[in-house]
Structure formats: structure tokens, C-alpha cells
């Protein structure tokens, strides 16, 4: 069902974002290519969320250019996103997924089967008829993943999907993310959890104060970081 | 307090005239709120979600119209519906239909203004998520109205309170005709001026009781709904 034209690679060319006098992203140039998950890491406020939003296409840069598969202003049908604090619609868990399917243009007859399939995929089949807002934090995050998958995306953006979850819920979310990546969906994820980056990343984009300090394959980044900031971060020391 | 006792007697005795008045009042006010909701809910959501030149002006006007004087609305509808008025051919002046229209006009700004505020606040929360899901403008309106449904119950109650309690418009466009367009509020005004304080008092008690019962029902519906939908 995927459109023939790919949104990959996503190319950032000299992209800056300013909010008033504050520079959030400072002349970023970056290629996000097909393959294993791209993980954005860096301290809070380094611009991870802003970069994710730009990639998703729900934010326009102050200057510079972003292209998706060579096209600027690609419509975004093939991209989906899970926010750090996803908004649960005031209806049941399965109705949330059905809503996303409808928004993605799925025909009514196929929706019921797809809802069941997606709920199973994120391990929420037993929670289908619960009000979404009554689910636990981890369950809400998994429901948000199911909603994002309903769009049948080529690229899935995740903004700190486990930021406030306990280890068990974090593992559940990571397992799902891994299986999504294995099914051929390009994952672009922001996290400040270096352990999570080690577990999931194919390549690492290390951001410090709105600039790309380093972009490298995960093994390279963790074994021989090229910049002093990255070395500090990999050691587990605080990068400010 | 002999008046109070007779009022209670009237209510408990099931006076048929009283019941006819109560029925008409409810019928007019509930219909007016339903009609106003049909216009006011989408109008409020539209004002909350769509940017266009003159929007701020319209928002201020709608907010200000929450305080429209009922007698003025009554007069305007009277002029529209009177024999020589532009809608005089309808021949509905001094009928319950005219009263419903007039009360709906009074209630629309209340529902639209409160809906706009509710939807605007909810949109702040939902904007990113719905944008990422690429939900179109029309679906946004219906989604936000549905997800705000429990808050909007209170909005409708505010509208109903206004309709049920006002006397100015229904007096002017209804004419307070015995057995045809007499409502609780016009009857209270009439009985008070005639000096029949027991009947006026009885009607007043009934009116207040009905408003409390309707609010209690709405509260119950809201609680049950929230329990099932979160």
C-alpha cells in the first residue's frame, strides 16, 4: 500500500530554527538514509525534538531546506510520529486506533481487522475496550505506536518514547520498536538515554546546543567517539 | 405563610393548567437550546479553529452577545415576524414557534462563545497529534467537538438556564396567551401583577425544581459518560 515514491533520504541542508532571539537549531546539515534506526541523542534542550518535528514536516525551518526523497514539501502520507506525551483521544483504546486508520484513509470494512491486528502487535489486545485515558503510561505509549502504525508509514519518528516509563514498560516499547524496524520501517528516534541508544541505534546523530556534533555508525560512535563532547557523553558524564 | 401552602397544594394537586404551562415552557426552551446547539456548536468550533480576517472582531461580538437583553431580541423577532415584517408571511407571531426562534437567538451566542473557548483550549493540546495524523479541517471540528463533549454538556446547560429563566422575549413574541403561549415565566409575571401570589409562588418553585432536576440529570449523564470514555 506504500506509495511508489520514497520519502527517503531526508536531507537537511543548512537548516536553522530560531524562536525569537534563541537559536534552537544552528545550520544543521544531515542525511537520514534508509536502514537501521537513526537515533538522535544529546542533552535536554539540544534540539532533538525540534529536529524530529522538522523531519516529520510539522514544523518549518527559519532558514535552510529540507527535502524528502528529493522533494521539498512532500505531503507526509508516509510519515508517522509518536510524541513524548501522546494525546489520548477520549474514547476506547481500539477506537483510538480506528480513528488513526480512518485519518489514514483506510476503508471502513478493513478497519476492524486492522484494529485487532495493530492492538495485538503492541500487546494491547486485552485492553481494547478500556478508555484510552485510563491506560497506564506504558500502555498509552504502546497505543500511540499502534496509532502511528495505522498510517502504514515508511518512516516513524519517535520523540523520547520511554522518557517517563519504568524499565518493564521501556522494554515493552523497545521490543515493539525493534520489531517495527525489522519490518522495514525507518525509525528516527530521539532519546537522552544512552543505554537505549546503544540497544536500538544503527547510527547516531549527536546534538549539542543545536548543532550536529557527530553523526556516525553506532559501533563507531560508542567505541571511538570523534569529539570530546561525544567521548564525555559516551562515558556517562554530563554534557552541558 | 398561607401563600406558600397554597402554592405547594397547587403543585401537589396536579393542577392541569399548571401542567400545560410547564409542558409548554419545557417544550419551548428545550427546542430553542437544540436549535441553538445546531448553530452554536459548529460556529464556536469554527471560530476556535479557523483564522480569517475579522475573526477577533467576531469573537468579541459573540462574547458580547451573551449579554443580549431578551426584550431587545424579542422586539427584533417581533418586527421580523409581524404582519408587515419581512417574515410576516409565515404567520407565526404569537405562536410557540416564534418563542423558540427568539429564545434560540438568545442562546446561540452563549453556546458559540463557550464552545469557542472550550475548543480553543483543547486544540492547544491536540494540535500536534492531529496535524501529525493529517486530520483535515472538517474532521478536526468533529473530533474536537466529540472529545470536548463532557465540557459542552455544561455549555448546553448554561444555554438552557438562560432560555428557561428569561421572560422578555417569550412575552413579546408569544404574547402570554392563556393555554397557547403562556410559559412559567410569563405566568409568574402575570400572576404577580394580578396579585395571585400563591400561583406565582407555585410556578416559581416548579421552575426552580425543574432546572435543578435537569442539571442533576445532565451531571449524571456526564459522570456515567466519563466513566466509560475516560
Amino acid at each position: 500500500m506504500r506509495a511508489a515514491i520514497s520519502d527517503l533520504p531526508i536531507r537537511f541542508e543548512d537548516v536553522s530554527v530560531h524562536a525569537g532571539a534563541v537559536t534552537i537549531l544552528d545550520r544543521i546539515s544531515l542525511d537520514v538514509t534508509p536502514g537501521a534506526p537513526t537515533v538522535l541523542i544529546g542533552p535536554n534542550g539540544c534540539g532533538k525534538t525540534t529536529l524530529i518535528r522538522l523531519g516529520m514536516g510539522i514544523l518549518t525551518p527559519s532558514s535552510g531546506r529540507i527535502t524528502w526523497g528529493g522533494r521539498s514539501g512532500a505531503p507526509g502520507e508516509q510519515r508517522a510520529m509518536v510524541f513524548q506525551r501522546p494525546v489520548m483521544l477520549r474514547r476506547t483504546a481500539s477506537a483510538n486506533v480506528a480513528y488513526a486508520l480512518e485519518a489514514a484513509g483506510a476503508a471502513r470494512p478493513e478497519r476492524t481487522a486492522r484494529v485487532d491486528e495493530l492492538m495485538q502487535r503492541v500487546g494491547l489486545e486485552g485492553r481494547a475496550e478500556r478508555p484510552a485515558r485510563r491506560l497506564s503510561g506504558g500502555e498509552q505509549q504502546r497505543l500511540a505506536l499502534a496509532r502511528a502504525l495505522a498510517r502504514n508509514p515508511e518512516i516513524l519518528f519517535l520523540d523520547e518514547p520511554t522518557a517517563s516509563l519504568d524499565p518493564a514498560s521501556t522494554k515493552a516499547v523497545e521490543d515493539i520498536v525493534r520489531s517495527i524496524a525489522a519490518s522495514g520501517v525507518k525509525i528516527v528516534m530521539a532519546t537522552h538515554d544512552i543505554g537505549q541508544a546503544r540497544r536500538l541505534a544503527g547510527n547516531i546523530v549527536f546534538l549539542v546546543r543545536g548543532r550536529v556534533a557527530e553523526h556516525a555508525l553506532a559501533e563507531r560512535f560508542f567505541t571511538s567517539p570523534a569529539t570530546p563532547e561525544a567521548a564525555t557523553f559516551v562515558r556517562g558524564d554530563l554534557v552541558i | 405563610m398561607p401563600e406558600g401552602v397554597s402554592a405547594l397544594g397547587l403543585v401537589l394537586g396536579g393542577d392541569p393548567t399548571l401542567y400545560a404551562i410547564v409542558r409548554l415552557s419545557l417544550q419551548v426552551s428545550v427546542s430553542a437550546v437544540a436549535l441553538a446547539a445546531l448553530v452554536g456548536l459548529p460556529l464556536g468550533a469554527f471560530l476556535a479553529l479557523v483564522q480569517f480576517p475579522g475573526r477577533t472582531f467576531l469573537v468579541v461580538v459573540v462574547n458580547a452577545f451573551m449579554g443580549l437583553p431578551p426584550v431587545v431580541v424579542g422586539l427584533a423577532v417581533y418586527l421580523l415576524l409581524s404582519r408587515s415584517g419581512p417574515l410576516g408571511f409565515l404567520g407565526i407571531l404569537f405562536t410557540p414557534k416564534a418563542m423558540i426562534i427568539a429564545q434560540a437567538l438568545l442562546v446561540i451566542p452563549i453556546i458559540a462563545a463557550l464552545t469557542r473557548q472550550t475548543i480553543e483550549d483543547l486544540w492547544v493540546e491536540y494540535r500536534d497529534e492531529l496535524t501529525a495524523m493529517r486530520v483535515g479541517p472538517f474532521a478536526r471540528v468533529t473530533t474536537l467537538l466529540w472529545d470536548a463533549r463532557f465540557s459542552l454538556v455544561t455549555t448546553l446547560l448554561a444555554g438552557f438556564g438562560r432560555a428557561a429563566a428569561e421572560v422578555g422575549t417569550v412575552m413579546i413574541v408569544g404574547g402570554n396567551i392563556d393555554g397557547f403561549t403562556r410559559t412559567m415565566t410569563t405566568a409568574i409575571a402575570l400572576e404577580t401583577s394580578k396579585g395571585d401570589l400563591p400561583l406565582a409562588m407555585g410556578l416559581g418553585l416548579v421552575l426552580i425544581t425543574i432546572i435543578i432536576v435537569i442539571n442533576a440529570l445532565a451531571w449524571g449523564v456526564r459522570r456515567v459518560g466519563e466513566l466509560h470514555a475516560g
Side-chain angles (χ1 to χ4, degrees):
Chain A
M1 276 173 288
R2 229 166 256 165
I5 305 167
S6 171
D7 269 0
L8 287 167
I10 306 176
R11 173 163 291 174
F12 296 79
E13 291 171 54
D14 224 15
V15 169
S16 297
V17 175
H18 309 285
V22 183
T23 299
I24 301 170
L25 288 179
D26 188 12
R27 285 168 288 141
I28 298 262
S29 290
L30 178 71
D31 277 358
V32 177
T33 48
T38 295
V39 173
L40 317 179
I41 58 170
N44 282 335
C46 67
K48 297 187 294 283
T49 297
T50 306
L51 193 56
I52 289 251
R53 283 166 178 265
L54 288 172
M56 180 65 194
I58 56 173
L59 184 71
T60 42
S62 313
S63 64
R65 200 168 104 98
I66 305 171
T67 54
W68 291 266
R71 296 156 298 148
S72 53
E77 273 140 14
Q78 308 178 74
R79 305 191 288 270
M81 176 157 180
V82 173
F83 293 87
Q84 187 169 353
R85 278 180 221 85
V87 173
M88 296 289 113
L89 301 175
R90 283 197 184 85
R91 45 199 98 189
T92 62
S94 55
N96 266 267
V97 177
Y99 181 90
L101 282 167
E102 190 186 346
R108 196 178 285 272
E110 67 180 74
R111 271 184 231 157
T112 324
R114 286 271 285 144
V115 167
D116 291 346
E117 177 201 321
L118 287 164
M119 294 298 273
Q120 255 170 33
R121 189 148 177 209
V122 298
L124 285 177
E125 60 273 26
R127 293 279 190 274
E129 295 315 309
R130 282 274 187 94
R133 292 191 178 222
R134 295 285 163 81
L135 299 176
S136 71
E139 288 168 342
Q140 292 195 356
Q141 211 55 256
R142 281 188 275 153
L143 184 57
L145 280 168
R147 249 177 9 192
L149 288 176
R151 304 180 49 72
N152 207 12
E154 179 193 12
I155 311 166
L156 175 59
F157 293 91
L158 306 169
D159 187 8
E160 307 257 5
T162 61
S164 47
L165 302 183
D166 63 18
S169 307
T170 299
K171 181 172 186 310
V173 168
E174 284 184 8
D175 287 346
I176 296 164
V177 170
R178 213 172 275 121
S179 87
I180 295 171
S183 73
V185 176
K186 173 68 187 180
I187 301 276
V188 181
M189 183 172 89
T191 183
H192 62 254
D193 176 352
I194 188 128
Q196 183 163 63
R198 269 182 212 279
R199 289 190 294 273
L200 294 175
N203 58 85
I204 297 275
V205 176
F206 180 55
L207 290 166
V208 181
R209 291 186 296 276
R211 310 207 60 166
V212 176
E214 198 164 336
H215 182 197
L217 288 175
E219 309 106 63
R220 261 276 310 283
F221 181 81
F222 288 113
T223 51
S224 51
T227 55
E229 286 102 336
T232 315
F233 197 79
V234 168
R235 270 202 312 276
D237 288 346
L238 295 175
V239 174
I240 299 159
Chain B
M1 245 177 77
E3 285 92 354
V5 173
S6 346
L8 202 62
L10 261 179
V11 174
L12 297 178
D15 182 69
T17 321
L18 180 68
Y19 278 107
I21 292 174
V22 169
R23 200 179 315 119
L24 178 71
S25 298
L26 278 178
Q27 194 191 322
V28 167
S29 294
V30 169
S31 310
V33 171
L35 195 62
L38 276 180
V39 180
L41 291 175
L43 175 62
F46 175 79
L47 285 176
L49 297 175
V50 183
Q51 299 293 329
F52 56 92
R55 173 182 174 272
T56 311
F57 174 74
L58 204 57
V59 167
V60 171
V61 167
V62 169
N63 281 350
F65 277 14
M66 285 200 285
L68 275 181
V71 283
V72 177
V73 173
L75 179 60
V77 175
Y78 180 93
L79 291 173
L80 279 176
L81 295 180
S82 64
R83 280 273 168 251
S84 51
L87 299 175
F89 65 90
L90 293 174
I92 57 170
L93 191 61
F94 303 129
T95 68
K97 274 184 192 147
M99 296 152 77
I100 291 170
I101 292 170
Q103 283 201 342
L105 287 176
L106 209 55
V107 174
I108 285 171
I110 296 179
I111 293 184
L114 297 179
T115 301
R116 184 203 52 83
Q117 190 64 60
T118 306
I119 297 296
E120 214 169 273
D121 293 345
L122 199 62
W123 177 234
V124 172
E125 189 188 339
Y126 280 42
R127 183 195 288 130
D128 285 343
E129 202 77 65
L130 297 192
T131 308
M133 283 197 234
R134 298 169 53 78
V135 175
F138 181 74
R140 277 178 203 172
V141 169
T142 53
T143 302
L144 289 168
L145 282 176
W146 179 248
D147 272 42
R149 59 198 181 275
F150 303 119
S151 310
L152 293 177
V153 168
T154 311
T155 298
L156 294 184
L157 283 177
F160 177 77
R162 168 78 151 175
E166 72 84 26
V167 58
T169 60
V170 284
M171 186 70 99
I172 294 178
V173 305
N176 193 24
I177 302 163
D178 193 7
F180 185 49
T181 60
R182 181 161 298 170
T183 65
M184 281 185 277
T185 53
T186 58
I188 291 169
L190 176 71
E191 297 308 330
T192 306
S193 60
K194 272 169 38 185
D196 191 348
L197 298 183
L199 184 55
M201 182 71 91
L203 284 163
L205 287 176
V206 173
L207 182 53
I208 291 172
T209 310
I210 286 174
I211 290 178
I212 291 176
V213 167
I214 287 186
N215 274 273
L217 284 175
W219 181 256
V221 167
R222 186 183 166 154
R223 285 306 301 269
V224 171
E226 280 180 332
L227 218 62
H228 286 94

